[in-house]
Amino acid sequence: HLINGYIHCIYSNNTDIIIGTRDGLLVFNPITESFERLSVYFKNKLINNLENHRIFRIIQDKKMNYWIATERGLYCFNKDFIQIDLLNTESQPFNITNNLVYNIVEDKEGCIWVATSIGLNCYNPIEKKIDHFLKEDNNKNSLCDNFVVSLCVDYLGNIWIGTQTGANYYNKKTKTFDYFSKQNGLPDNLVYEIIEDNNHNIWFATSNGLAMYDTDNKHFRKYTIFDGLQGYEYNLNAKYVAKDGEIFI
């Protein structure tokens, strides 16, 4: 049985299924068909199960390290689930703008992008530096909102950012943010998830419907219940892209 019934995220490394709950990490044991703490499953008391932590997101980087987003900061575990780092507001010299981390992605250069409730962060573990991005008043090319909930890296390596007041597109060459909102064609400004499909179109799951941004023609197409949607409300981390490109939201 599940120790905690609140599931925020699920991650599979092709061997194990890791569950992020409102009370830490679990792993599914296929032999016993039960859920266990990582320290029990891997028989290693040194593993931090992150009990009493809310786990919002789990990814693995190119070096096979795990990055785990929680309300107490961003944890980094090695491939054996031993903690090797923790980024939070107090960690120096690589602090993040807020401990409540909703989302994380790795870009093509190996940088870890961190979406928090107060700003966006980009941590470069190779060059050992971190950049902070915050909304700047009277600067239309800055982050549109500090409350960041979703992230997506497109095939060009640029970053799409979902906030509570719209979406940004960060161009890594110009280091500027483009802004998209309901006025541009989004169904709503609260963007829960962003996904790129096999045709390099960008999908936005919002609090009031789904939209696809055609990156060739630069326009949005909205989808409603009349197109077959089950409803208009979406949620954090409620997405999956299958190997054949089929999208589940």
Side-chain angles (χ1 to χ4, degrees), residues 38-212:
L38 270 66
S39 59
V40 175
Y41 181 77
F42 292 109
K43 298 179 175 60
N44 188 341
K45 294 181 180 180
L46 296 178
I47 292 177
N48 183 355
N49 297 305
L50 295 179
E51 295 175 47
N52 300 314
H53 287 63
R54 295 189 181 195
I55 312 297
F56 293 110
R57 185 81 167 158
I58 305 167
I59 67 168
Q60 260 187 301
D61 64 21
K62 295 178 178 64
K63 295 182 178 180
M64 304 309 291
N65 292 322
Y66 292 91
W67 295 86
I68 302 166
T70 80
E71 87 286 12
R72 302 185 191 182
L74 179 63
Y75 287 83
C76 183
F77 291 0
N78 66 16
K79 62 182 179 61
D80 298 314
F81 292 99
I82 301 301
Q83 182 178 328
I84 56 177
D85 207 352
L86 168 62
L87 300 182
N88 57 29
T89 57
E90 304 297 326
S91 57
Q92 295 295 336
F94 308 116
N95 66 304
I96 55 178
T97 50
N98 192 261
N99 288 339
L100 180 50
V101 180
Y102 281 117
N103 218 316
I104 38 177
V105 293
E106 182 186 24
D107 67 18
K108 291 185 176 182
E109 287 75 37
C111 295
I112 306 298
W113 291 79
V114 186
T116 80
S117 61
I118 307 180
L120 176 67
N121 306 263
C122 178
Y123 175 57
N124 188 326
I126 300 171
E127 297 183 5
K128 297 297 182 183
K129 69 174 186 177
I130 191 164
D131 294 316
H132 303 145
F133 301 91
L134 295 167
K135 180 180 179 180
E136 300 174 18
D137 293 336
N138 303 317
N139 182 1
K140 66 179 183 179
N141 294 124
S142 72
L143 191 67
C144 67
D145 195 292
N146 287 331
F147 192 86
V148 184
V149 295
S150 52
L151 296 169
C152 174
V153 180
D154 66 22
Y155 78 107
L156 295 173
N158 295 310
I159 314 298
W160 294 83
I161 303 115
T163 79
Q164 64 180 352
T165 58
N168 280 125
Y169 169 76
Y170 181 70
N171 187 311
K172 296 180 74 173
K173 289 184 178 180
T174 63
K175 296 184 178 181
T176 58
F177 293 87
D178 291 333
Y179 177 54
F180 300 90
S181 68
K182 289 179 66 176
Q183 292 182 336
N184 303 105
L186 283 174
D188 194 78
N189 285 337
L190 177 52
V191 180
Y192 284 123
E193 282 299 343
I194 307 174
I195 306 168
E196 181 182 37
D197 65 23
N198 286 349
N199 295 318
H200 307 309
N201 297 312
I202 307 297
W203 294 77
F204 297 85
T206 77
S207 60
N208 191 36
L210 183 69
M212 184 195 76

